Amino acid sequence: MEALYLLIPLSLVLVAVAIWIFFGAADSGQFDDLEGPALRVLRDDDRAAHTD
């Protein structure tokens, strides 16, 4: 029972930190372009590697 006195506030602090990190990433524009990196992988950039 004494462990709950430590674990409940600790879990609430952990959830608050996770929410703070998520909203910080959202405010900085981390999730603005979700499709760009996926399409960038498919782009053929072999021409830049063959410069001999």
Side-chain angles (χ1 to χ4, degrees):
M1 185 68 182
E2 291 94 21
L4 289 177
Y5 294 128
L6 175 68
L7 292 177
I8 290 174
L10 191 62
S11 65
L12 292 175
V13 168
L14 184 65
V15 167
V17 168
I19 290 173
W20 179 65
I21 289 173
F22 172 75
F23 281 111
D27 285 340
S28 69
Q30 182 75 27
F31 305 115
D32 284 347
D33 183 20
L34 296 177
E35 296 173 357
L39 295 175
R40 206 172 306 132
V41 170
L42 299 175
R43 190 177 306 142
D44 188 18
D45 288 333
D46 288 339
R47 289 175 285 138
H50 299 288
T51 57
D52 24 76

